[in-house]
Coordinates of all heavy atoms in Angstrom, one line a residue:
Chain A
T310 N -92.5 -67.5 49.0 CA -92.0 -66.5 48.1 C -91.3 -67.1 46.9 O -91.5 -66.6 45.8 CB -91.1 -65.5 48.8 OG1 -91.6 -65.1 50.1 CG2 -90.7 -64.3 48.0
G311 N -90.6 -68.1 47.1 CA -89.8 -68.7 46.1 C -90.7 -69.5 45.1 O -90.4 -69.4 43.9
S312 N -91.6 -70.2 45.6 CA -92.4 -71.0 44.7 C -93.5 -70.2 43.9 O -93.8 -70.6 42.8 CB -93.0 -72.2 45.5 OG -93.7 -71.8 46.6
N313 N -94.1 -69.3 44.6 CA -95.1 -68.5 43.9 C -95.2 -67.1 44.5 O -95.9 -66.8 45.4 CB -96.4 -69.2 43.9 CG -97.4 -68.6 43.0 OD1 -97.3 -67.5 42.5 ND2 -98.4 -69.4 42.5
Y314 N -94.5 -66.2 43.7 CA -94.3 -64.8 44.3 C -95.6 -64.1 44.5 O -95.9 -63.6 45.6 CB -93.4 -64.1 43.4 CG -93.1 -62.7 43.9 CD1 -91.9 -62.5 44.6 CD2 -93.8 -61.6 43.5 CE1 -91.6 -61.3 45.1 CE2 -93.5 -60.3 43.9 CZ -92.3 -60.2 44.8 OH -92.0 -58.9 45.3
S315 N -96.5 -64.1 43.5 CA -97.7 -63.3 43.6 C -98.6 -63.9 44.6 O -99.5 -63.2 45.3 CB -98.3 -63.1 42.2 OG -98.0 -64.1 41.4
Y316 N -98.6 -65.3 44.7 CA -99.5 -65.9 45.6 C -99.1 -65.6 47.0 O -99.9 -65.3 47.9 CB -99.5 -67.4 45.4 CG -100.4 -68.2 46.2 CD1 -101.8 -68.3 45.9 CD2 -100.0 -68.9 47.3 CE1 -102.6 -69.0 46.6 CE2 -100.8 -69.7 48.1 CZ -102.1 -69.7 47.8 OH -103.0 -70.4 48.5
A317 N -97.8 -65.6 47.2 CA -97.3 -65.3 48.5 C -97.7 -63.9 49.0 O -98.1 -63.6 50.1 CB -95.7 -65.4 48.6
E318 N -97.6 -63.0 48.0 CA -97.9 -61.5 48.3 C -99.4 -61.4 48.6 O -99.8 -60.8 49.5 CB -97.6 -60.7 47.1 CG -97.3 -59.3 47.4 CD -96.5 -58.6 46.3 OE1 -96.9 -58.7 45.2 OE2 -95.4 -58.0 46.7
Y319 N -100.2 -62.1 47.9 CA -101.6 -62.2 48.0 C -102.0 -62.8 49.4 O -102.9 -62.3 50.1 CB -102.3 -63.0 46.9 CG -103.7 -63.1 47.0 CD1 -104.5 -61.9 46.7 CD2 -104.4 -64.2 47.4 CE1 -105.9 -62.0 46.7 CE2 -105.8 -64.2 47.5 CZ -106.5 -63.1 47.2 OH -107.9 -63.2 47.2
G320 N -101.2 -63.7 49.9 CA -101.4 -64.4 51.1 C -100.9 -63.5 52.3 O -100.9 -64.0 53.4
G321 N -100.4 -62.3 52.0 CA -100.1 -61.4 53.1 C -98.6 -61.6 53.5 O -98.3 -61.0 54.6
I322 N -97.8 -62.2 52.8 CA -96.4 -62.2 53.1 C -95.7 -61.0 52.4 O -95.9 -60.6 51.3 CB -95.7 -63.5 52.6 CG1 -96.3 -64.7 53.2 CG2 -94.2 -63.4 52.7 CD1 -95.9 -66.0 52.6
L323 N -94.9 -60.3 53.3 CA -94.2 -59.1 52.7 C -93.0 -59.5 51.9 O -91.9 -59.6 52.5 CB -93.8 -58.2 53.9 CG -95.0 -57.7 54.7 CD1 -94.4 -57.0 56.1 CD2 -95.8 -56.6 54.0
T324 N -93.3 -59.9 50.7 CA -92.3 -60.6 49.8 C -91.0 -59.7 49.8 O -89.9 -60.3 49.8 CB -92.8 -60.8 48.5 OG1 -93.5 -59.7 48.0 CG2 -93.7 -62.0 48.5
K325 N -91.1 -58.4 49.7 CA -89.9 -57.6 49.5 C -89.0 -57.8 50.8 O -87.8 -57.8 50.6 CB -90.2 -56.2 49.3 CG -90.6 -56.0 47.8 CD -90.8 -54.6 47.4 CE -91.1 -54.6 45.9 NZ -91.6 -53.3 45.5
K326 N -89.7 -57.7 51.9 CA -89.0 -57.8 53.2 C -88.3 -59.2 53.3 O -87.1 -59.3 53.7 CB -90.0 -57.7 54.3 CG -89.6 -56.6 55.3 CD -90.6 -56.6 56.4 CE -90.2 -55.5 57.4 NZ -91.3 -55.3 58.4
V327 N -89.0 -60.2 52.9 CA -88.5 -61.7 52.8 C -87.3 -61.6 52.0 O -86.2 -62.2 52.4 CB -89.6 -62.6 52.4 CG1 -88.9 -64.0 52.2 CG2 -90.7 -62.7 53.3
M328 N -87.4 -61.1 50.8 CA -86.3 -61.1 49.8 C -85.0 -60.5 50.4 O -83.9 -61.0 50.4 CB -86.7 -60.3 48.7 CG -86.2 -60.8 47.4 SD -87.0 -59.7 46.1 CE -88.1 -60.8 45.4

Side-chain angles (χ1 to χ4, degrees):
Chain A
T310 310
S312 52
N313 194 336
Y314 185 87
S315 27
Y316 184 76
E318 204 156 52
Y319 182 73
I322 296 172
L323 298 167
T324 43
K325 284 190 175 169
K326 233 180 181 173
V327 171
M328 218 177 248

